[in-house]
Short mmCIF file of all heavy atoms in Angstrom, two decimals:
data_model
loop_
_atom_site.label_atom_id
_atom_site.label_comp_id
_atom_site.label_asym_id
_atom_site.label_seq_id
_atom_site.Cartn_x
_atom_site.Cartn_y
_atom_site.Cartn_z
N TYR C 1 25.23 34.14 18.30
CA TYR C 1 23.82 34.48 18.23
C TYR C 1 23.01 33.42 17.51
O TYR C 1 21.78 33.38 17.61
CB TYR C 1 23.62 35.87 17.60
CG TYR C 1 23.55 35.95 16.09
CD1 TYR C 1 22.35 35.71 15.43
CD2 TYR C 1 24.66 36.30 15.33
CE1 TYR C 1 22.26 35.81 14.04
CE2 TYR C 1 24.58 36.40 13.95
CZ TYR C 1 23.38 36.15 13.32
OH TYR C 1 23.30 36.25 11.95
N GLY C 2 23.71 32.53 16.78
CA GLY C 2 23.03 31.43 16.12
C GLY C 2 22.67 30.28 17.03
O GLY C 2 21.90 29.39 16.66
N VAL C 3 23.18 30.27 18.24
CA VAL C 3 22.89 29.21 19.22
C VAL C 3 21.51 29.46 19.81
O VAL C 3 21.20 30.56 20.25
CB VAL C 3 23.96 29.20 20.33
CG1 VAL C 3 23.61 28.18 21.41
CG2 VAL C 3 25.34 28.92 19.73
N ASN C 4 20.68 28.41 19.84
CA ASN C 4 19.31 28.65 20.33
C ASN C 4 18.73 27.48 21.11
O ASN C 4 19.18 26.34 21.01
CB ASN C 4 18.38 29.05 19.18
CG ASN C 4 18.07 27.94 18.20
OD1 ASN C 4 18.75 26.92 18.15
ND2 ASN C 4 17.04 28.13 17.41
N ILE C 5 17.73 27.84 21.90
CA ILE C 5 16.89 26.89 22.64
C ILE C 5 15.46 27.08 22.13
O ILE C 5 14.98 28.21 22.03
CB ILE C 5 16.95 27.17 24.16
CG1 ILE C 5 18.28 26.71 24.74
CG2 ILE C 5 15.79 26.49 24.88
CD1 ILE C 5 18.43 27.04 26.22
N ASN C 6 14.79 25.98 21.81
CA ASN C 6 13.38 26.01 21.43
C ASN C 6 12.68 24.89 22.17
O ASN C 6 13.04 23.72 22.02
CB ASN C 6 13.23 25.81 19.92
CG ASN C 6 14.07 26.80 19.12
OD1 ASN C 6 13.78 27.98 19.10
ND2 ASN C 6 15.11 26.31 18.47
N ILE C 7 11.69 25.25 22.97
CA ILE C 7 11.03 24.28 23.84
C ILE C 7 9.54 24.30 23.57
O ILE C 7 8.92 25.37 23.53
CB ILE C 7 11.30 24.61 25.33
CG1 ILE C 7 12.81 24.57 25.61
CG2 ILE C 7 10.56 23.64 26.25
CD1 ILE C 7 13.19 25.15 26.96
N GLY C 8 8.97 23.12 23.39
CA GLY C 8 7.53 23.05 23.17
C GLY C 8 7.04 21.62 23.09
O GLY C 8 7.81 20.66 23.23
N ASP C 9 5.75 21.48 22.81
CA ASP C 9 5.14 20.17 22.60
C ASP C 9 5.31 19.82 21.13
O ASP C 9 4.36 19.85 20.35
CB ASP C 9 3.67 20.22 23.01
CG ASP C 9 2.97 18.88 22.86
OD1 ASP C 9 3.68 17.85 22.82
OD2 ASP C 9 1.73 18.87 22.75
N TYR C 10 6.55 19.51 20.76
CA TYR C 10 6.89 19.34 19.36
C TYR C 10 6.62 17.93 18.84
O TYR C 10 6.75 16.94 19.57
CB TYR C 10 8.38 19.64 19.14
CG TYR C 10 8.75 21.11 19.19
CD1 TYR C 10 9.65 21.58 20.14
CD2 TYR C 10 8.23 22.01 18.27
CE1 TYR C 10 10.02 22.92 20.18
CE2 TYR C 10 8.60 23.35 18.29
CZ TYR C 10 9.48 23.80 19.25
OH TYR C 10 9.84 25.13 19.29
N VAL C 11 6.28 17.86 17.56
CA VAL C 11 6.29 16.61 16.82
C VAL C 11 7.20 16.83 15.61
O VAL C 11 7.46 17.97 15.20
CB VAL C 11 4.88 16.19 16.37
CG1 VAL C 11 4.05 15.77 17.57
CG2 VAL C 11 4.17 17.31 15.60
N ASN C 12 7.67 15.73 15.06
CA ASN C 12 8.71 15.80 14.03
C ASN C 12 8.30 15.04 12.77
O ASN C 12 7.67 14.00 12.84
CB ASN C 12 10.02 15.22 14.60
CG ASN C 12 11.05 14.94 13.52
OD1 ASN C 12 11.31 13.80 13.20
ND2 ASN C 12 11.63 15.98 12.96
N PHE C 13 8.66 15.60 11.63
CA PHE C 13 8.67 14.83 10.39
C PHE C 13 9.92 15.23 9.63
O PHE C 13 10.54 16.27 9.92
CB PHE C 13 7.38 15.03 9.56
CG PHE C 13 7.17 16.42 9.02
CD1 PHE C 13 7.45 16.73 7.70
CD2 PHE C 13 6.66 17.44 9.83
CE1 PHE C 13 7.23 18.00 7.19
CE2 PHE C 13 6.44 18.71 9.33
CZ PHE C 13 6.73 19.00 8.00
N SER C 14 10.31 14.42 8.68
CA SER C 14 11.61 14.67 8.04
C SER C 14 11.64 14.13 6.62
O SER C 14 10.73 13.42 6.18
CB SER C 14 12.73 14.02 8.87
OG SER C 14 12.57 12.61 8.88
N GLU C 15 12.69 14.49 5.91
CA GLU C 15 12.95 13.97 4.57
C GLU C 15 14.44 14.02 4.32
O GLU C 15 15.19 14.67 5.06
CB GLU C 15 12.19 14.79 3.51
CG GLU C 15 12.59 16.25 3.46
CD GLU C 15 11.73 17.06 2.48
OE1 GLU C 15 11.54 16.60 1.35
OE2 GLU C 15 11.25 18.14 2.88
N VAL C 16 14.89 13.33 3.31
CA VAL C 16 16.30 13.37 2.91
C VAL C 16 16.38 14.03 1.54
O VAL C 16 15.75 13.58 0.58
CB VAL C 16 16.92 11.96 2.87
CG1 VAL C 16 18.36 12.03 2.38
CG2 VAL C 16 16.86 11.30 4.25
N TYR C 17 17.13 15.10 1.49
CA TYR C 17 17.30 15.85 0.24
C TYR C 17 18.59 15.42 -0.44
O TYR C 17 19.65 15.34 0.20
CB TYR C 17 17.33 17.35 0.53
CG TYR C 17 17.58 18.20 -0.68
CD1 TYR C 17 16.56 18.47 -1.58
CD2 TYR C 17 18.84 18.74 -0.94
CE1 TYR C 17 16.77 19.23 -2.71
CE2 TYR C 17 19.07 19.51 -2.06
CZ TYR C 17 18.03 19.75 -2.95
OH TYR C 17 18.27 20.51 -4.07
N LYS C 18 18.54 15.13 -1.72
CA LYS C 18 19.73 14.75 -2.47
C LYS C 18 20.38 16.02 -3.01
O LYS C 18 19.98 16.56 -4.03
CB LYS C 18 19.35 13.80 -3.61
CG LYS C 18 18.82 12.46 -3.12
CD LYS C 18 18.46 11.53 -4.27
CE LYS C 18 17.93 10.20 -3.76
NZ LYS C 18 17.55 9.28 -4.88
N GLY C 19 21.37 16.49 -2.28
CA GLY C 19 22.00 17.76 -2.59
C GLY C 19 23.35 17.61 -3.26
O GLY C 19 23.78 16.52 -3.62
N GLU C 20 24.04 18.74 -3.39
CA GLU C 20 25.32 18.76 -4.09
C GLU C 20 26.40 17.96 -3.37
O GLU C 20 27.36 17.49 -3.98
CB GLU C 20 25.79 20.21 -4.29
CG GLU C 20 24.98 20.98 -5.32
CD GLU C 20 25.65 22.27 -5.77
OE1 GLU C 20 26.85 22.46 -5.49
OE2 GLU C 20 24.97 23.09 -6.40
N LYS C 21 26.27 17.81 -2.06
CA LYS C 21 27.26 17.04 -1.30
C LYS C 21 26.71 15.69 -0.85
O LYS C 21 27.27 15.05 0.03
CB LYS C 21 27.74 17.85 -0.08
CG LYS C 21 28.61 19.05 -0.45
CD LYS C 21 29.02 19.85 0.77
CE LYS C 21 29.94 19.10 1.68
NZ LYS C 21 30.42 19.94 2.81
N GLY C 22 25.59 15.28 -1.42
CA GLY C 22 25.03 13.98 -1.06
C GLY C 22 23.72 14.12 -0.31
O GLY C 22 22.94 15.04 -0.55
N ALA C 23 23.49 13.19 0.61
CA ALA C 23 22.23 13.14 1.35
C ALA C 23 22.24 14.17 2.48
O ALA C 23 23.15 14.19 3.31
CB ALA C 23 21.99 11.75 1.92
N LEU C 24 21.22 15.03 2.49
CA LEU C 24 21.07 16.04 3.54
C LEU C 24 19.80 15.77 4.32
O LEU C 24 18.70 15.74 3.74
CB LEU C 24 21.02 17.44 2.93
CG LEU C 24 20.67 18.59 3.89
CD1 LEU C 24 21.74 18.73 4.97
CD2 LEU C 24 20.49 19.90 3.14
N ASP C 25 19.94 15.55 5.61
CA ASP C 25 18.76 15.37 6.47
C ASP C 25 18.07 16.70 6.68
O ASP C 25 18.70 17.67 7.11
CB ASP C 25 19.17 14.78 7.82
CG ASP C 25 19.70 13.36 7.70
OD1 ASP C 25 19.15 12.60 6.89
OD2 ASP C 25 20.68 13.03 8.40
N MET C 26 16.77 16.75 6.39
CA MET C 26 15.96 17.95 6.62
C MET C 26 14.85 17.58 7.59
O MET C 26 13.98 16.77 7.27
CB MET C 26 15.41 18.49 5.30
CG MET C 26 16.49 18.89 4.31
SD MET C 26 15.85 19.64 2.78
CE MET C 26 15.27 21.23 3.38
N ASP C 27 14.92 18.16 8.78
CA ASP C 27 13.98 17.84 9.85
C ASP C 27 13.10 19.03 10.16
O ASP C 27 13.56 20.18 10.17
CB ASP C 27 14.73 17.43 11.12
CG ASP C 27 15.06 15.95 11.14
OD1 ASP C 27 14.17 15.16 11.49
OD2 ASP C 27 16.20 15.60 10.78
N TYR C 28 11.84 18.74 10.48
CA TYR C 28 10.86 19.79 10.77
C TYR C 28 10.22 19.50 12.13
O TYR C 28 9.71 18.39 12.36
CB TYR C 28 9.81 19.84 9.67
CG TYR C 28 10.42 19.87 8.29
CD1 TYR C 28 10.44 18.73 7.48
CD2 TYR C 28 11.01 21.03 7.79
CE1 TYR C 28 11.01 18.75 6.22
CE2 TYR C 28 11.59 21.06 6.52
CZ TYR C 28 11.59 19.91 5.75
OH TYR C 28 12.18 19.94 4.50
N TYR C 29 10.28 20.48 13.02
CA TYR C 29 9.69 20.36 14.35
C TYR C 29 8.62 21.43 14.49
O TYR C 29 8.91 22.63 14.43
CB TYR C 29 10.77 20.55 15.42
CG TYR C 29 11.77 19.41 15.47
CD1 TYR C 29 12.92 19.44 14.68
CD2 TYR C 29 11.57 18.31 16.29
CE1 TYR C 29 13.84 18.40 14.70
CE2 TYR C 29 12.49 17.26 16.34
CZ TYR C 29 13.62 17.31 15.54
OH TYR C 29 14.53 16.29 15.57
N VAL C 30 7.38 20.97 14.70
CA VAL C 30 6.24 21.89 14.79
C VAL C 30 5.36 21.51 15.97
O VAL C 30 5.44 20.39 16.50
CB VAL C 30 5.41 21.86 13.48
CG1 VAL C 30 6.26 22.28 12.30
CG2 VAL C 30 4.81 20.48 13.25
N LEU C 31 4.53 22.45 16.39
CA LEU C 31 3.59 22.14 17.45
C LEU C 31 2.64 21.03 17.00
O LEU C 31 2.27 20.95 15.82
CB LEU C 31 2.80 23.38 17.84
CG LEU C 31 3.60 24.50 18.52
CD1 LEU C 31 2.67 25.67 18.86
CD2 LEU C 31 4.31 24.00 19.78
N ARG C 32 2.25 20.22 17.94
CA ARG C 32 1.46 19.03 17.65
C ARG C 32 0.23 19.33 16.78
O ARG C 32 -0.06 18.60 15.83
CB ARG C 32 1.03 18.38 18.97
CG ARG C 32 0.36 17.03 18.85
CD ARG C 32 0.17 16.40 20.22
NE ARG C 32 1.45 16.25 20.91
CZ ARG C 32 2.29 15.23 20.74
NH1 ARG C 32 1.97 14.28 19.87
NH2 ARG C 32 3.41 15.16 21.41
N ASP C 33 -0.45 20.42 17.08
CA ASP C 33 -1.68 20.74 16.35
C ASP C 33 -1.43 21.19 14.91
O ASP C 33 -2.37 21.25 14.10
CB ASP C 33 -2.47 21.84 17.08
CG ASP C 33 -3.07 21.36 18.39
OD1 ASP C 33 -3.01 20.14 18.66
OD2 ASP C 33 -3.59 22.21 19.14
N ASN C 34 -0.18 21.52 14.57
CA ASN C 34 0.13 22.08 13.25
C ASN C 34 0.79 21.08 12.31
O ASN C 34 1.23 21.47 11.21
CB ASN C 34 1.02 23.31 13.40
CG ASN C 34 0.33 24.44 14.12
OD1 ASN C 34 -0.90 24.56 14.06
ND2 ASN C 34 1.09 25.26 14.82
N LEU C 35 0.83 19.81 12.70
CA LEU C 35 1.58 18.83 11.93
C LEU C 35 1.10 18.70 10.48
O LEU C 35 1.91 18.77 9.55
CB LEU C 35 1.51 17.45 12.61
CG LEU C 35 2.22 16.30 11.89
CD1 LEU C 35 3.70 16.61 11.73
CD2 LEU C 35 2.00 14.98 12.64
N GLU C 36 -0.17 18.56 10.27
CA GLU C 36 -0.66 18.30 8.92
C GLU C 36 -0.46 19.49 7.99
O GLU C 36 -0.05 19.36 6.84
CB GLU C 36 -2.13 17.88 8.96
CG GLU C 36 -2.35 16.53 9.62
CD GLU C 36 -1.45 15.43 9.05
OE1 GLU C 36 -1.35 15.34 7.79
OE2 GLU C 36 -0.85 14.67 9.84
N LYS C 37 -0.76 20.70 8.48
CA LYS C 37 -0.56 21.85 7.60
C LYS C 37 0.92 22.11 7.35
O LYS C 37 1.30 22.57 6.27
CB LYS C 37 -1.25 23.10 8.15
CG LYS C 37 -0.75 23.66 9.44
CD LYS C 37 -1.47 24.98 9.72
CE LYS C 37 -1.81 25.16 11.17
NZ LYS C 37 -2.55 26.42 11.41
N ALA C 38 1.78 21.79 8.33
CA ALA C 38 3.21 21.97 8.13
C ALA C 38 3.73 21.03 7.04
O ALA C 38 4.61 21.40 6.25
CB ALA C 38 3.96 21.73 9.43
N LYS C 39 3.20 19.82 6.97
CA LYS C 39 3.65 18.87 5.96
C LYS C 39 3.41 19.40 4.56
O LYS C 39 4.18 19.12 3.64
CB LYS C 39 2.93 17.53 6.15
CG LYS C 39 3.44 16.72 7.32
CD LYS C 39 2.71 15.38 7.43
CE LYS C 39 3.27 14.54 8.58
NZ LYS C 39 2.54 13.24 8.70
N THR C 40 2.36 20.17 4.39
CA THR C 40 2.09 20.79 3.09
C THR C 40 2.88 22.09 2.92
O THR C 40 3.55 22.31 1.91
CB THR C 40 0.59 21.07 2.95
OG1 THR C 40 -0.13 19.84 3.01
CG2 THR C 40 0.29 21.76 1.62
N HIS C 41 2.82 22.94 3.93
CA HIS C 41 3.39 24.28 3.80
C HIS C 41 4.91 24.26 3.72
O HIS C 41 5.51 25.10 3.03
CB HIS C 41 2.95 25.14 4.98
CG HIS C 41 3.18 26.60 4.77
ND1 HIS C 41 2.39 27.38 3.95
CD2 HIS C 41 4.15 27.43 5.24
CE1 HIS C 41 2.84 28.62 3.95
NE2 HIS C 41 3.91 28.67 4.71
N PHE C 42 5.56 23.35 4.40
CA PHE C 42 7.02 23.34 4.44
C PHE C 42 7.64 22.76 3.18
O PHE C 42 8.87 22.57 3.11
CB PHE C 42 7.51 22.58 5.66
CG PHE C 42 7.40 23.36 6.95
CD1 PHE C 42 6.80 24.61 6.99
CD2 PHE C 42 7.91 22.85 8.15
CE1 PHE C 42 6.70 25.33 8.17
CE2 PHE C 42 7.82 23.57 9.33
CZ PHE C 42 7.21 24.81 9.35
N LYS C 43 6.84 22.53 2.13
CA LYS C 43 7.42 22.09 0.86
C LYS C 43 8.30 23.18 0.24
O LYS C 43 9.08 22.91 -0.67
CB LYS C 43 6.30 21.68 -0.10
CG LYS C 43 5.64 20.37 0.30
CD LYS C 43 4.52 19.98 -0.65
CE LYS C 43 3.87 18.66 -0.21
NZ LYS C 43 2.75 18.26 -1.10
N ASP C 44 8.16 24.41 0.74
CA ASP C 44 9.06 25.48 0.30
C ASP C 44 10.51 25.20 0.71
O ASP C 44 11.44 25.75 0.11
CB ASP C 44 8.63 26.83 0.87
CG ASP C 44 7.71 27.60 -0.07
OD1 ASP C 44 7.40 27.08 -1.16
OD2 ASP C 44 7.29 28.72 0.28
N ALA C 45 10.72 24.39 1.76
CA ALA C 45 12.08 24.16 2.26
C ALA C 45 12.95 23.41 1.26
O ALA C 45 14.05 23.87 0.93
CB ALA C 45 12.03 23.46 3.62
#
């Protein structure tokens, strides 16, 4: 049930988190119009 398909007009931004096992890639895919607000709001991640 964890396997998924997500299709849209996505744009991406990312960061590298320094975690307990080293570098963790954290990627964010959002609709094109929501990019700027996502960059602020997804700081909870």
